[in-house]
Amino acid sequence: MELEALKQSLFSLDINLDEIKDKRHANAFRILFSIIETQNEEIEFLKAENQKLRDEINLLKGEQTKPKIRGSKKNEDISSEKERRNREHP
């Protein structure tokens, strides 16, 4: 789970730590939430590092790496070939 999704999930629990009467329990929740966020950040880092290492192994074996898919660029000129020719040769 990505960090932002995790934060949303924790927020959706609707736990107000200031309303918990027992300060030990409130403190325990703060610590647990902090641990969860820290571990999730580490998991995301390790996933990325693991993929890099897999790619490197594949390169060393002479195989292809995972393709890097980039966002599409919008082409503002979507007119047909016929319309372009008409504009060029009036």
Side-chain angles (χ1 to χ4, degrees), residues 76-88:
E76 294 181 19
D77 186 13
I78 57 171
S79 61
S80 69
E81 188 66 30
K82 183 178 178 183
E83 290 173 338
R84 275 194 294 254
R85 276 192 241 141
N86 286 341
R87 274 190 265 146
E88 290 173 3

Side-chain angles (χ1 to χ4, degrees), residues 8-69:
Q8 288 292 353
S9 294
L10 292 175
F11 183 75
S12 71
L13 293 174
D14 197 27
I15 297 174
N16 187 350
L17 298 176
D18 297 329
E19 292 178 357
I20 298 175
K21 303 287 185 212
D22 188 344
K23 295 299 177 188
R24 291 182 319 150
H25 289 132
N27 194 33
F29 272 109
R30 282 187 183 91
I31 292 169
L32 290 173
F33 288 158
S34 176
I35 290 170
I36 290 170
E37 288 181 5
T38 302
Q39 287 185 335
N40 193 62
E41 288 173 356
E42 187 172 353
I43 289 169
E44 292 301 317
F45 171 78
L46 292 173
K47 279 183 183 178
E49 185 177 11
N50 192 4
Q51 186 60 53
K52 287 178 189 175
L53 293 172
R54 286 176 191 240
D55 289 346
E56 181 140 352
I57 289 169
N58 285 340
L59 278 174
L60 293 172
K61 290 164 76 176
E63 299 174 4
Q64 292 184 342
T65 62
K66 182 178 178 182
K68 294 178 183 168
I69 302 172

